[in-house]
Amino acid sequence: MQLERRDFLSTLTLAGAAALFSGNPLLAATAQKKEKLGIALVGLGYYSTDLLAPALQMTEKCYLAGIVTGTPAKAETWKAKYKIPDKNIYNYQNFDQIANNPDIDIVYVVLPPSMHREYVVRAAKAGKHVFCEKPMAPSVADCEAMIKACSSSKVKLAIGYRCQHDPNIQAIMKLAKEPKFGKVKMVTSAAGYFDARTDHWKQKKSLGGGVMGDMGVYALQGARLATGEEPISVFAQASTTRPDIYKEVEETMMFMLDFPSGAKASCQTSFGINMNHLHVNYEKGWAKLEPQSGYNGNKGSLSNGTLIEFPIKNQQAKQMDEDCDAILRNTDLIAPGEEGLRDIRVVEAIYKSAAAGKVIKI
C-alpha cells in the first residue's frame, strides 16, 4: 500500500498503542533485554543513503528500524528497499511521536549541523539514545545544550567520529601514551577534497557550512589524537579561490596549534584541495598515515619499519556496533558528546583567530 502524502504528514495511528510499552514503567522494567538495537536515521541524504544504510546491513548489534524524512518519495523508496513498516516512518512534524515506538532505541541525526541541536534535544526528550554526525554543532553553546539534554534524559550521546573506531587511527593514539619514540614535537595534519558542488549546505553559513566544521574536524582530530592533548592556543587563516561559490564561508583553513607539552601542529583543510595525511614527529622517530581519514584504506608506517595497516571491513558498521555495544552494556562510548564539544571549542577559537588575525588562547 502506497504511503500517501496526507498520511505521511499525519499523526501515526499506532502511536497510542505503542505508548502502552514506552509509557508503562512496569512493562518497560519487565521487557526482555534486547540483543540488537533499532536505529532510526534522521535525514536521508548521501551519507545515510550511500554509507549508513548499507553499513546497517553488516552490523551485529543494531539494525535499520526506521527513518525520518521530509520527502514522501524518499520514504516510499526506503520502505520498499529495506522493508520498513509504516509505523516506523516519520517526518519532521510527527518526529516526537517516536517516543512511543519500542522498535526504535537510537536516533541517528544525519542533518545539516544547524539542525543537530534541535533533533538531538528532541530525540533525548523522547527517551532515545542519540548518535549525531560530525560536526556536532555550529557552536559550543549548542554542544553543551545537547549534552545536557541527553544527560537529563539519561540517554547516551555518541558523535559519529568513525575514525576513532578505526584501528589504524587507534595505533597513532596509542603512541601518544607510550615512551617508544618519546614526546611529540610536531604534527602535520591535513584533510580536504575538491568539492565541485555549487549549492550545498556546506557552502551556506546558516546551515553550519564551511570547511572547518566538516573536513577541518579531521585535520584537528589528527593533531589532538596524535598528541593526546588539548590545544591551548591557535593562529588561523581562512581563504578561498572560488569566491563566487564560497561567499558566506571559507573554502580553505590553515591553522597552527600549541599544546601544553610544547608540541606544535600545522593543520590544513579545504574544499578546494585534495589532501589527506598525518605526520607525527617525536623526539626519537616518526609516524605517518596517508590517508588518515578515508572511509577505508587508512594506512601508514613508523620510523622503526613497523607498518600500520589494520584491515577493517566497514568503518561505519564498526562505529555503530561499538557504540551500540556500549549502550547495551552501559559502558563508556569511544566518542561521546564531550568529545564533539572539545573539537567545537577549538573550531570557535580558529574562527576567532582567522577573523582577528592573531593568536587566540583556548
Side-chain angles (χ1 to χ4, degrees):
M1 183 174 67
Q2 190 174 19
L3 193 67
E4 299 293 340
R5 180 178 293 270
R6 180 182 61 189
D7 297 329
F8 180 76
L9 294 174
S10 68
T11 301
L12 294 179
T13 58
L14 295 178
L20 291 174
F21 293 93
S22 63
N24 188 319
L26 179 61
L27 285 177
T30 57
Q32 186 176 0
K33 186 177 180 180
K34 292 185 176 184
E35 295 183 357
K36 296 183 73 171
L37 300 178
I39 293 181
L41 296 177
V42 184
L44 306 182
Y46 160 75
Y47 198 72
S48 285
T49 301
D50 290 8
L51 295 161
L52 292 178
L56 281 164
Q57 312 313 304
M58 308 178 196
T59 47
E60 298 175 358
K61 301 286 186 179
C62 53
Y63 66 99
L64 178 60
I67 54 174
V68 181
T69 179
T71 308
K74 285 186 179 180
E76 279 297 329
T77 299
W78 281 64
K79 173 186 173 182
K81 184 173 183 178
Y82 294 110
K83 307 297 188 290
I84 300 173
D86 286 347
K87 68 185 182 68
N88 292 358
I89 299 175
Y90 296 85
N91 56 63
Y92 299 117
Q93 287 71 44
N94 65 23
F95 171 80
D96 301 300
Q97 294 171 22
I98 211 164
N100 303 319
N101 192 333
D103 291 352
I104 296 169
D105 305 289
I106 300 164
V107 168
Y108 199 146
V109 179
V110 200
L111 295 164
S114 62
M115 302 173 72
H116 286 185
R117 174 177 176 171
E118 176 185 352
Y119 283 90
V120 167
V121 170
R122 288 172 71 177
K125 287 182 178 178
K128 305 300 180 181
H129 299 290
V130 189
F131 296 168
C132 179
E133 257 314 300
K134 65 97 191 126
M136 183 175 176
S139 72
V140 166
D142 287 337
C143 295
E144 290 174 339
M146 293 156 69
I147 291 169
K148 182 179 179 180
C150 290
S151 176
S152 297
S153 295
K154 295 181 171 55
V155 297
K156 287 188 180 289
L157 170 60
I159 307 305
Y161 285 147
R162 56 187 172 78
C163 290
Q164 291 199 28
H165 296 261
D166 189 321
N168 298 285
I169 299 294
Q170 291 172 348
I172 297 293
M173 295 170 66
K174 187 178 179 183
L175 286 173
K177 302 175 183 178
E178 295 180 347
K180 181 178 292 187
F181 297 131
K183 292 183 179 180
V184 175
K185 303 299 287 183
M186 172 64 78
V187 178
T188 303
S189 182
Y193 68 96
F194 184 85
D195 194 334
R197 293 173 295 195
T198 60
D199 188 26
H200 189 263
W201 70 258
K202 293 182 181 182
Q203 294 146 354
K204 301 179 188 299
K205 187 173 183 178
S206 63
L207 296 180
V211 73
M212 192 57 233
D214 187 57
M215 294 304 291
V217 168
Y218 294 123
L220 170 58
Q221 287 228 337
R224 288 184 53 244
L225 301 180
T227 60
E229 297 183 289
E230 298 305 320
I232 56 176
S233 67
V234 62
F235 179 73
Q237 183 179 44
S239 64
T240 181
T241 60
R242 293 178 287 170
D244 54 322
I245 299 171
Y246 292 90
K247 298 185 286 286
E248 302 175 5
V249 297
E250 78 287 351
E251 178 187 36
T252 298
M253 184 76 80
M254 298 183 290
F255 53 102
M256 299 286 294
L257 300 169
D258 288 301
F259 292 88
S261 65
K264 296 182 179 295
S266 173
C267 305
Q268 305 88 38
T269 186
S270 181
F271 283 145
I273 304 167
N274 292 313
M275 51 183 173
N276 201 301
H277 59 266
L278 175 66
H279 195 117
V280 189
N281 289 100
Y282 304 89
E283 291 175 309
K284 298 175 288 186
W286 52 261
K288 64 180 180 181
L289 287 179
E290 188 168 3
Q292 68 154 318
S293 60
Y295 289 144
N296 53 60
N298 296 321
K299 60 182 180 179
S301 60
L302 307 181
S303 54
N304 63 5
T306 301
L307 295 180
I308 303 174
E309 195 168 3
F310 294 96
I312 178 170
K313 185 177 181 181
N314 183 281
Q315 274 188 350
Q316 286 83 3
K318 190 171 188 290
Q319 166 204 326
M320 290 187 284
D321 265 342
E322 290 179 349
D323 285 341
C324 285
D325 188 58
I327 291 171
L328 288 166
R329 296 190 296 115
N330 194 27
T331 56
D332 291 340
L333 295 159
I334 285 179
E338 289 76 9
E339 176 69 355
L341 170 61
R342 283 189 280 269
D343 277 335
I344 298 306
R345 186 173 285 120
V346 180
V347 170
E348 280 197 350
I350 287 170
Y351 280 127
K352 288 179 183 177
S353 175
K358 64 180 182 180
V359 173
I360 296 293
K361 292 185 182 299
I362 303 172

